[in-house]
Amino acid sequence: MESAVTEIFYRLSTAFFWPVALALLALFVLSLADLGSLLVQSRRRAASPRSDLPALANALAAGLRRGAPAQLHTLPMSPALARFWGLLEGRLARLDSHEHLDLWLDETLQREEMRVANRLDLTRTLVRIAPMLGLAGTIIPLGPALQSLLAGDMAGMVNHLVIGFGAVVCGLVLGGIAYVLTLTRERWARADLKEMENLCELVLRALPAAGAQA
């Protein structure tokens, strides 16, 4: 009975080796591609203009005094804020009343936060899964390595150990890359969402000023 249970566990562990190995290799390649994409995004963000909040506030107030949507596209804005203003601009042009505008702005911000969170979920998951896959890829070859040792096949044992050590290194490097990607994108997301919140606050402040001067 004991030998049968041992054989079952041995077969199960070895059956998981190829799925774990292929998952490690595929995720490692994807993480390297994502790292390259991050470097490109970093250069683009460094070259993109910074948002000029005072100029945006003046343009919003002037546009609302005229009863027309403010044209902010000519002002310095980060790409994320320009995209967000594109969402707000169309809605402001169709509004008959500004009574519940604050609720709609909150909803729009929440959608942006959910979109950012969904984007970060992949790398956050990799931070946790990568060490698990690396550990599994290390432990699974130990069974065949011990059997090779018992059979006196030292070359086979060394080959299995090399595979195991390579798997744990791959898993640790993958986890490190995913951690760097997550930290960097979270920092960018916080900065972008803060600018969006500031823009919404400027819109809400400009409306009473426009109404008082009308």
Side-chain angles (χ1 to χ4, degrees):
M1 182 65 180
E2 182 178 353
S3 61
V5 172
T6 302
E7 182 68 17
I8 291 174
F9 277 110
Y10 175 77
R11 295 298 181 186
L12 286 175
S13 63
T14 53
F16 284 117
F17 173 73
W18 282 113
V20 169
L22 292 176
L24 269 175
L25 292 175
L27 292 176
F28 188 76
V29 172
L30 289 176
S31 67
L32 290 179
D34 204 10
L35 181 61
S37 175
L38 182 77
L39 295 176
V40 173
Q41 292 176 6
S42 178
R43 295 188 62 180
R44 288 178 179 174
R45 287 181 70 92
S48 62
R50 297 183 179 274
S51 302
D52 189 349
L53 290 179
L56 294 176
N58 294 332
L60 279 170
L64 291 172
R65 282 197 299 269
R66 296 192 305 268
Q71 300 297 324
L72 304 185
H73 297 291
T74 58
L75 299 176
M77 279 195 296
S78 64
L81 190 62
R83 182 185 57 79
F84 184 71
W85 170 246
L87 297 176
L88 299 184
E89 186 179 23
R91 180 61 182 267
L92 289 173
R94 296 190 301 269
L95 282 179
D96 297 329
S97 172
H98 298 150
E99 183 179 358
H100 302 296
L101 181 61
D102 56 339
L103 298 178
W104 179 78
L105 291 176
D106 287 339
E107 180 187 2
T108 307
L109 277 174
Q110 290 173 6
R111 288 181 179 177
E112 286 298 310
E113 291 174 356
M114 292 178 61
R115 186 186 65 83
V116 170
N118 292 335
R119 174 68 188 277
L120 292 173
D121 280 344
L122 176 59
T123 52
R124 285 172 177 166
T125 303
L126 285 180
V127 171
R128 297 181 178 273
I129 288 183
M132 298 179 188
L133 292 176
L135 181 61
T138 303
I139 294 177
I140 291 174
L142 291 182
L146 292 176
Q147 285 196 340
S148 298
L149 178 62
L150 290 176
D153 184 7
M154 299 300 295
M157 182 193 71
V158 171
N159 288 333
H160 289 301
L161 292 179
V162 168
I163 294 174
F165 291 145
V168 71
V169 170
C170 184
L172 291 175
V173 173
L174 173 59
I177 293 175
Y179 185 66
V180 171
L181 293 173
T182 302
L183 285 182
T184 304
R185 287 190 171 133
E186 283 181 346
R187 177 168 55 83
W188 291 350
R190 285 194 299 268
D192 292 340
L193 290 174
K194 183 61 178 176
E195 286 190 340
M196 295 174 189
E197 292 175 2
N198 291 336
L199 181 60
C200 291
E201 183 67 23
L202 290 177
V203 171
L204 292 176
R205 290 186 180 185
L207 289 175
Q213 297 178 11

